[in-house]
Amino acid sequence: MTLAVLTVLPLAAACGTEQADGGAVSAEPPVTGVHWSVDSVTVDGTTHRAPTGANVTIEDGRAAGNYGCNHFTAKVTFEDDALRLSDTTTTEMACEKRPMAFEETLARTLADGALKTDVTGDRLTLTTDTGDTVRLAKEPDAPLYGTKWGITAPGPTGDAHLSFDKKTGKVTGSLGCNRVTATATVSDGHITLGAPATTRMVCDTSLMKTEKSLLGLFDSTVKYKLDHRSLSLTSENGKTAKAVAVG
């Protein structure tokens, strides 16, 4: 099943008010250029928790983000202390049941009308005319070192993850079935991965296929790219593994 609705994700920017003499009073704390993780949406008194990875950023009148499965873009306009989204598009990747249900709930909540904004500290709340709310939190960038990177592609990935240790100069983790360790030298947007040492368990055929693909990144130099809490590793032959920060 694919996502058929055009989902709308909340975004806000600082909006000032005008004094009688035409001067502007203090604006709300700015929210543009901030990576906001979506915590929840509350509809008719029921709170729905967001899937891992749901996020949104606004820059130059455009919104972009991820719902935990599908990516989206939208145009953002501002009306006093509210915002309105238009021309929203999403990808249509197949999602698991829970992310799909959340995305559809969020779409129904935010598809029409202006959304009032309230920023308190590191939190943003968006409220519809009927009182339903979407809650978001400012999320810091994840560093390459010391972060547990959960592999999301190629898949299925199981519990595949990698962690880079600057002090030891190694990468350790799981390939979805077997544990792995190797040297890892980081320089100028590239990581030179040494020959992998792994355990020798046998797992489901699909996991073993993913593991074989991930092993292809080792004993070579790969290009890496960090985007807030996402990491991509691209091999010399153009194959890419993707991961998100999970700890």
Side-chain angles (χ1 to χ4, degrees):
M1 181 177 180
T2 58
L3 181 63
V5 296
L6 288 180
T7 49
V8 179
L9 195 67
L11 287 165
C15 302
T17 56
E18 298 294 322
Q19 295 176 334
D21 60 4
V25 299
S26 298
E28 294 179 11
V31 298
T32 57
V34 174
H35 187 101
W36 297 100
S37 63
V38 182
D39 287 342
S40 64
V41 55
T42 300
V43 178
D44 296 331
T46 300
T47 298
H48 307 269
R49 297 296 174 184
T52 300
N55 67 82
V56 60
T57 303
I58 183 170
E59 291 280 3
D60 301 322
R62 299 292 303 179
N66 184 282
Y67 294 95
C69 176
N70 282 282
H71 297 273
F72 76 93
T73 61
K75 179 181 178 181
V76 183
T77 55
F78 302 97
E79 305 168 2
D80 297 324
D81 62 344
L83 63 91
R84 187 185 300 269
L85 302 187
S86 61
D87 302 328
T88 305
T89 61
T90 70
T91 57
E92 295 187 347
M93 297 183 293
C95 307
E96 296 180 358
K97 183 176 180 180
R98 181 174 175 270
M100 286 286 289
F102 180 85
E103 291 179 3
E104 290 169 1
T105 298
L106 187 60
R108 288 194 301 269
T109 305
L110 303 177
D112 298 313
L115 304 168
K116 294 182 179 179
T117 67
D118 177 70
V119 179
T120 303
D122 289 340
R123 296 193 172 274
L124 168 64
T125 301
L126 302 172
T127 306
T128 68
D129 288 341
T130 58
D132 295 331
T133 60
V134 177
R135 301 185 186 280
L136 308 93
K138 185 182 295 185
E139 191 173 24
D141 294 342
L144 176 66
Y145 292 111
T147 298
K148 181 179 178 180
W149 294 103
I151 306 297
T152 58
T157 58
D159 186 36
H161 62 273
L162 296 173
S163 296
F164 295 88
D165 189 313
K166 187 174 184 179
K167 184 177 181 180
T168 63
K170 291 185 177 182
V171 58
T172 59
S174 169
L175 300 174
C177 177
N178 286 283
R179 301 285 302 175
V180 65
T181 183
T183 58
T185 303
V186 180
S187 178
D188 298 326
H190 292 78
I191 305 175
T192 300
L193 297 172
T198 69
T199 54
R200 295 180 180 274
M201 296 185 293
V202 177
C203 299
D204 179 83
T205 301
S206 61
L207 287 179
M208 296 304 293
K209 183 178 180 180
T210 297
E211 184 164 299
K212 182 178 179 180
S213 179
L214 293 174
L215 281 171
L217 298 173
F218 290 84
D219 206 12
S220 67
T221 297
V222 299
K223 182 179 179 181
Y224 80 93
K225 181 180 179 181
L226 281 171
D227 183 9
H228 184 62
R229 297 182 69 81
S230 297
L231 170 68
S232 63
L233 302 172
T234 304
S235 67
E236 294 173 333
N237 62 4
K239 293 185 177 180
T240 300
K242 296 184 179 181
V244 295
V246 294

